[in-house]
Amino acid sequence: MRLDRAASIDDLRRMARRRIPRFAFDLVDGGAESERNLRRNLEAFEEIQLTPRYMVDVSTIDTRAALFGQSFDMPFGMAPIGMLNAFWPDADLTLARLCKRRNIPYVASSAASTTLETLAEAADGNGWFQLYVSSDTAVTESLIARAEAADYRVMMVTADVPAAGKRDRDIRNQLAVPFRITPEVVAGLIAHPRWSLATLRHGKPNIANYADLLQSATSYAEVQKTLITPGFTWDSLRRLRDRWQGTLLVKGILHPEDAVQCADIGCDGIVVSNHGGRQVAFGPSTIEALPRIAAALEGRIAIILDSGIRRGADVLRAKAHGADFALSGRALAFGVGAGGAAGARRALEILELELVRALGQLGVASYAKVGPSELSSLA
Ligand SMILES: Cc1cc2nc3c(=O)[nH]c(=O)nc-3n(C[C@H](O)[C@H](O)[C@H](O)COP(=O)(O)O)c2cc1C
């Protein structure tokens, strides 16, 4: 299929699946255990009805959203994704540049395959930094200092990693970092020569921010020790709040009391997220968790939502339930996988087209005005 014939993010996902070896596609596409949470994210969005209103002038649609003193052209940004160069070479830089060009936020992952400095430069003022707190405080402090020096103003600490997500597809695929060459990997490389050549040309995907640290690592479990923090507590968050001068967000909030605690500690916002269904299979979808969180927070701090955004209307569903802004992980990643930079542009084009059309149909000319009255149960 040609990129311009891709009508939906799901079309781009199918295109990416054909171009990318199974182990690398599954690394991005997969979720925890039975993947019930991953599917629940998608299904829960689809179930939410918004009621169109007509005879309203929608000849000019305004998709802008203001957040943390900045105005973005669309009400969503790119979520942090680690090791994305394993999916498609140069995916990080491609997306950081695109986000800058289209004036939306780009969140650079601690575990990105490109350094946080290079991504800050590419995102040029639109970059946010996502922090994985390491069990080794020196590693965490070094990342924070580097983020400060690179001029990131927004830091998002990921809270939902007290344990590694058990991703059955990765276990079956024998995924290992650093990559191990298994017969399945060789078969995948031969079957996808374009991916293999491009990956060879760009060098082995790695976790760039920890390059020195990881050079000595011999197993995935060892690598994960840097990314998994069973000892991260509310006290750690308080210390982080004291340490970081800029905007501080906590990502991975699903319980209203945790959200209130983040506000009490002085965080500037939360990301209602279940890591795209990658941590547990038993958890709630984020769109179902959101209303209670929004009610408990009473507008004290910003609410961003991710996990399961595949349509422009999903961003509006989140807004109607109390979110201020959204992030998308896989939707834009599938775009890159389907066609590099052009594919990423196509993914954004699709989401934008859907967003603009949905606002028109709802009879709400600007994103800022979408609220609970669009929900069918209240209309
Ligand atoms: C392959 C992959 C890697 C991810 N890596 C990170 C990461 O390094 N840090 C983080 O906070 N979240 C990470 N996430 C979670 C995303 O930031 C985001 O919460 C999730 O993708 C949202 O769900 P969606 O993919 O359905 O949009 C990752 C997600 C995927 C799919």
Side-chain angles (χ1 to χ4, degrees):
M1 192 197 278
R2 282 184 0 212
L3 274 176
D4 56 358
R5 293 209 186 150
S8 64
I9 296 300
D10 214 38
D11 285 348
L12 292 174
R13 174 181 175 275
R14 277 190 290 272
M15 290 170 73
R17 192 171 52 188
R18 279 196 292 274
R19 280 160 48 103
I20 298 171
R22 171 95 170 254
F23 67 88
F25 180 78
D26 282 349
L27 173 68
V28 169
D29 192 55
E33 299 187 337
S34 65
E35 304 194 343
R36 188 68 195 91
N37 198 203
L38 171 60
R39 289 193 301 279
R40 196 175 288 131
N41 283 336
L42 307 179
E43 289 163 11
F45 269 121
E46 287 198 321
E47 284 308 312
I48 291 168
Q49 302 170 26
L50 305 173
T51 302
R53 300 282 305 270
Y54 299 111
M55 276 70 77
V56 176
D57 182 3
V58 287
S59 33
T60 311
I61 298 278
D62 183 358
T63 60
R64 284 173 307 171
L67 200 62
F68 313 129
Q70 210 168 338
S71 173
F72 297 105
D73 286 356
M74 285 188 278
F76 61 89
M78 176 67 202
I81 293 206
M83 284 281 290
L84 196 56
N85 282 14
F87 195 59
W88 199 260
D90 252 356
D92 294 335
L93 270 176
T94 300
L95 288 166
R97 289 187 186 122
L98 178 64
C99 288
K100 172 63 189 173
R101 204 170 330 114
R102 298 302 317 273
N103 187 28
I104 59 173
Y106 172 83
V107 191
S109 161
S110 278
S113 17
T114 309
T115 64
L116 63 93
E117 289 83 3
T118 305
L119 290 171
E121 213 177 298
D124 184 21
N126 279 27
W128 299 353
F129 178 64
Q130 175 266 325
L131 178 72
Y132 273 138
V133 174
S134 168
S135 316
D136 182 342
T137 47
V139 171
T140 312
E141 173 48 36
S142 138
L143 279 177
I144 297 173
R146 284 172 61 189
E148 259 172 356
D151 222 11
Y152 284 97
R153 307 276 161 83
V154 178
M155 187 166 80
M156 177 184 285
V157 58
T158 298
D160 61 7
V161 284
K166 177 174 164 277
R167 297 177 198 137
D168 292 5
R169 289 200 222 181
D170 293 348
I171 296 173
R172 274 183 221 116
N173 292 333
Q174 297 255 286
L175 184 87
V177 178
F179 276 123
R180 229 177 330 139
I181 306 292
T182 61
E184 289 86 358
V185 168
V186 173
L189 297 179
I190 292 169
H192 300 87
R194 197 160 31 155
W195 183 94
S196 308
L197 284 174
T199 301
L200 253 176
R201 221 178 309 120
H202 284 81
K204 204 167 64 171
N206 207 340
I207 301 182
N209 289 326
Y210 311 104
D212 299 344
L213 205 88
L214 299 181
Q215 228 149 36
S216 54
T218 50
S219 71
Y220 195 34
E222 213 176 305
V223 172
Q224 283 199 327
K225 270 195 206 149
T226 324
L227 310 173
I228 302 302
T229 33
F232 185 66
T233 63
W234 291 110
D235 275 341
S236 328
L237 183 61
R238 272 184 211 102
R239 281 195 294 276
L240 206 57
R241 177 63 289 185
D242 290 342
R243 169 70 184 82
W244 179 257
Q245 306 291 309
T247 300
L248 182 66
L249 312 178
V250 183
K251 175 170 183 276
I253 297 297
L254 292 166
H255 198 291
E257 285 168 22
D258 287 355
V260 168
Q261 184 105 324
C262 289
D264 289 347
I265 285 174
C267 299
D268 302 282
I270 53 162
V271 185
V272 177
S273 169
N274 58 30
H275 221 104
R278 294 166 68 77
Q279 290 303 94
V280 300
F282 51 74
S285 71
T286 51
I287 193 68
E288 286 170 305
L290 176 62
R292 285 173 62 213
I293 291 174
L297 277 178
E298 296 176 316
R300 290 172 65 196
I301 54 174
I303 303 179
I304 300 171
L305 177 136
D306 79 15
S307 301
I309 301 270
R310 298 290 183 277
R311 295 278 183 186
D314 295 339
V315 178
L316 303 181
R317 288 169 163 129
K319 179 79 159 55
H321 275 87
D324 300 293
F325 204 81
L327 294 175
S328 158
R330 293 188 188 83
L332 298 182
F334 289 148
V336 187
R345 281 198 302 275
R346 183 69 188 143
L348 213 52
E349 233 168 60
I350 290 171
L351 290 175
E352 184 180 22
L353 176 78
E354 290 176 347
L355 185 69
V356 168
R357 296 259 175 109
L359 282 168
Q361 289 287 340
L362 282 175
V364 185
S366 87
Y367 170 78
K369 296 217 174 84
V370 174
S373 65
E374 271 63 60
L375 293 172
S376 284
S377 53
L378 301 173

